[in-house]
Amino acid sequence: DRLADLAKIPDNALLSKPTVNLWYTDEALSDYLGSVALDFSEEKDVRVIPKLVSGLEYLETINQDSLQTNSYPDLYIISNDCLEKAYLAGLASPVKDEAGLVSEENFSRPALEAVTYKDRLVGYPFYYETSALIYNKTYMEALAAASLEAEADAAEGEAAMEALNENGEPLDAGSTEGAAEGGPDAEGEGEAGEPETFVPEEAQLEERINAMIPSTIDDILSFADSYDAPEQVEAVFKWDVDDIFYNYFFVGNYIDVGGSCGDDTESIDIYNLDAIRCLMAYQDLNQFFSIDPDEVDYDSVIQEFIDGKLVFTVATTDIVGRIEEAKKNGEFPYEYGVTNIPNIDEELKTRSLSVTNAVVVNGYSQKKDIANEFAAYLTGERAQNLYERTGRMPARKGVSFENPQAEAFGREYALSVPIPKMMATSNYWVQMEIAFTRVWSGESATDTLKALSEKIMTQVTGQPFEEEYIEEPVEETEGYIGEEE
């Protein structure tokens, strides 16, 4: 325990070093931060003290202690949606990134946008959360093998017919020497007289599986319509329709709340034709999959996937650790895969929501230089083993993982839309979640989205706001999703 090692250092040795305080709220980080802090203290003439604090009134506590006491944090870890509030309160200072760590070379676009406020970098991207499509690879492999076998049988039949056309009727099988000897040529049997088992080449099988992984929701619907599911499979596709984090990808590419960095009140576009079409597509899925929001939650869906009852689901990064634990316990006798969230169709694209946790230097700190240095050390040099030690996905690019499925989430993160940081729209997520619930239950997509936009715009502008009505594109979406029924 590195925190215990830190406690064993003689008091006089600690007092001879300047102290930098780091606050955080995620208990899973405790051992890791203690280890990194001790290593940094051994390399530098400074003492770093991580402190786990309550997430309730987190920024308020930091602000109060910074103004009234000497026990405030010099730096702290916080999600990017709180950065505007932190910056305006003087609790987030622009980063002093002398080594140029926080750049496109080391971080993806969403990571950089997440820690940018009014064109200033105000935090170091540390770790992220986003959602991706999870699939049961064992089921897909069986389907791919069956498909390849059917093609091989068809090809063999065609070859036999060609031979028949060229050579005429074959002799009676019983009169052939090979058949009389019971040789391998007798009716396609092997040495033991049993039909040969078709075994596809591994590369061929992997290529077919990759081709079968859905790139659109339409692909999933087509899959569900034709899939001869094993007995234990209860649903082809199921996800938590009651949580905005697992739904937002439907509209993420067409709704703008705050511009690319989520900090611009002049850049808000919630009510538009493409967003309406996406919500209508979402509504159609209820007719196809019939998921009851009152009877489903994230944990129950993940358990169903682990139990082999689902082929596809939408999950966050924790799914990797949960499945690996289930494998160790003998509760998941399957292989699985992680891939990008599918688009709705060839025209309507999707984008997942992402939250980036950042290391922020307190504007009230008297030790900003060393605080910046430690923040860069933590999020840069020491990012390599963050996932293995904590289960949290590092925002830094180029980190290697023992489990390739963990790495797949990074590809989705690089395409994601960061959660906005504007205080004026802080209730947007609750309102959007309500809107999704209403649309799922059958209410008009355009009426629901119009009401949401007017409410948010009224908050932002401070005066009543009314959108021009957009008709639902009935003709454009007829037969668009759910046609497989």
Side-chain angles (χ1 to χ4, degrees):
D1 189 335
R2 304 305 296 273
L3 286 175
D5 293 342
L6 188 63
K8 294 176 183 177
I9 299 176
D11 289 343
N12 59 350
L14 292 175
L15 292 173
S16 65
K17 293 183 176 183
T19 298
V20 173
N21 294 304
L22 167 66
W23 283 16
Y24 64 102
T25 62
D26 186 352
E27 188 175 0
L29 298 173
S30 292
D31 289 345
Y32 174 78
L33 291 177
S35 176
V36 174
L38 184 58
D39 289 344
F40 188 79
S41 296
E42 291 173 350
E43 293 181 20
K44 307 289 182 178
D45 190 25
V46 63
R47 178 190 183 198
V48 178
I49 304 297
K51 181 181 179 181
L52 176 65
V53 300
S54 171
L56 298 174
E57 305 294 329
Y58 184 47
L59 267 181
E60 289 75 7
T61 302
I62 293 174
N63 186 56
Q64 182 177 350
D65 284 12
S66 297
L67 293 173
Q68 300 178 4
T69 73
N70 292 321
S71 61
Y72 59 83
D74 296 285
L75 67 167
Y76 56 94
I77 299 169
I78 197 167
S79 60
N80 70 285
D81 56 314
C82 298
L83 287 180
E84 179 179 76
K85 186 176 183 180
Y87 185 83
L88 295 179
L91 301 175
S93 62
V95 302
K96 296 180 179 179
D97 186 23
E98 296 180 359
L101 171 71
V102 189
S103 65
E104 292 185 6
E105 180 180 356
N106 298 311
F107 296 96
S108 64
R109 173 199 51 77
L112 296 175
E113 292 174 350
V115 298
T116 299
Y117 179 70
K118 301 301 182 184
D119 299 324
R120 299 181 180 90
L121 290 171
V122 294
Y124 294 79
F126 188 21
Y127 62 96
Y128 69 86
E129 188 60 276
T130 194
S131 58
L133 184 71
I134 319 299
Y135 60 94
N136 187 308
K137 189 174 181 179
T138 299
Y139 294 156
M140 300 290 282
E141 186 175 87
L143 189 60
S147 172
L148 289 169
E149 182 175 9
E151 290 178 8
D153 289 344
E156 184 178 341
E158 289 179 7
M161 287 300 297
E162 290 180 6
L164 180 62
N165 292 334
E166 290 179 7
N167 304 320
E169 290 288 342
L171 295 174
D172 181 74
S175 65
T176 63
E177 182 178 353
E181 296 175 356
D185 295 329
E187 298 184 1
E189 295 181 350
E191 293 182 2
E194 296 293 333
E196 294 183 358
T197 301
F198 175 80
V199 180
E201 296 181 2
E202 185 175 345
Q204 186 183 24
L205 185 62
E206 194 68 26
E207 182 180 357
R208 179 58 56 91
I209 292 172
N210 290 334
M212 291 170 60
I213 294 173
S215 60
T216 68
I217 298 294
D218 275 358
D219 290 341
I220 294 180
L221 293 173
S222 297
F223 182 98
D225 192 49
S226 61
Y227 184 48
D228 185 12
E231 183 178 353
Q232 68 270 26
V233 173
E234 296 181 358
V236 167
F237 184 35
K238 190 175 185 180
W239 73 103
D240 183 2
V241 297
D242 203 35
D243 191 323
I244 189 64
F245 207 88
Y246 307 102
N247 279 330
Y248 195 73
F249 69 87
F250 281 95
V251 297
N253 196 53
Y254 300 105
I255 285 183
D256 180 10
V257 181
S260 60
C261 295
D263 59 359
D264 184 3
T265 56
E266 299 296 321
S267 183
I268 296 179
D269 181 13
I270 296 172
Y271 184 55
N272 58 70
L273 182 58
D274 284 331
I276 293 169
R277 294 174 66 199
C278 290
L279 275 182
M280 292 176 68
Y282 173 77
Q283 186 176 69
D284 284 340
L285 291 178
N286 190 13
Q287 300 173 16
F288 200 98
F289 295 112
S290 301
I291 304 171
D292 187 346
D294 295 330
E295 297 181 0
V296 67
D297 59 32
Y298 180 69
D299 286 334
S300 68
V301 169
I302 298 310
Q303 189 58 54
E304 287 184 38
F305 184 84
I306 290 174
D307 292 340
K309 297 178 180 179
L310 308 178
V311 182
F312 303 104
T313 190
V314 176
T316 35
T317 59
D318 62 292
I319 185 71
V320 177
R322 294 176 67 168
I323 289 180
E324 294 303 320
E325 183 66 23
K327 275 189 171 184
K328 291 179 183 178
N329 297 334
E331 300 168 355
F332 187 76
Y334 309 101
E335 296 299 323
Y336 72 104
V338 178
T339 190
N340 293 120
I341 288 289
N343 292 320
I344 293 174
D345 59 15
E346 295 301 327
E347 180 183 356
L348 295 174
K349 309 305 179 184
T350 58
R351 283 184 71 189
S352 294
L353 182 66
S354 66
V355 176
T356 301
N357 284 271
V359 181
V360 177
V361 174
N362 191 344
Y364 289 94
S365 173
Q366 301 300 310
K367 303 162 188 171
K368 291 187 180 67
D369 289 342
I370 194 65
N372 273 276
E373 189 174 351
F374 178 74
Y377 177 77
L378 176 62
T379 59
E381 183 178 336
R382 294 303 297 269
Q384 175 58 52
N385 62 346
L386 174 64
Y387 176 71
E388 284 69 23
R389 294 285 303 276
T390 69
R392 305 297 181 257
M393 295 291 184
R396 185 172 184 183
K397 294 194 296 189
V399 172
S400 58
F401 299 89
E402 292 183 7
N403 189 326
Q405 308 310 333
E407 187 174 353
F409 274 98
R411 294 191 289 272
E412 182 67 29
Y413 177 55
L415 301 172
S416 67
V417 52
I419 189 170
K421 53 182 70 74
M422 295 182 296
M423 291 186 290
T425 59
S426 60
N427 69 330
Y428 166 69
W429 303 106
V430 174
Q431 297 301 320
M432 177 57 86
E433 190 167 275
I434 293 171
F436 266 92
T437 299
R438 289 175 175 170
V439 171
W440 186 257
S441 64
E443 295 188 25
S444 165
T446 190
D447 290 346
T448 302
L449 204 58
K450 180 176 184 290
L452 171 63
S453 180
E454 290 172 347
K455 185 168 189 174
I456 297 301
M457 290 302 297
T458 297
Q459 290 177 193
V460 171
T461 62
Q463 55 189 1
F465 188 92
E466 184 175 355
E467 294 277 13
E468 183 177 349
Y469 190 81
I470 302 174
E471 293 286 345
E472 288 189 355
V474 178
E475 292 184 1
E476 293 181 34
T477 59
E478 187 175 354
Y480 161 70
I481 273 191
E483 185 176 271
E484 290 77 1
E485 294 182 289

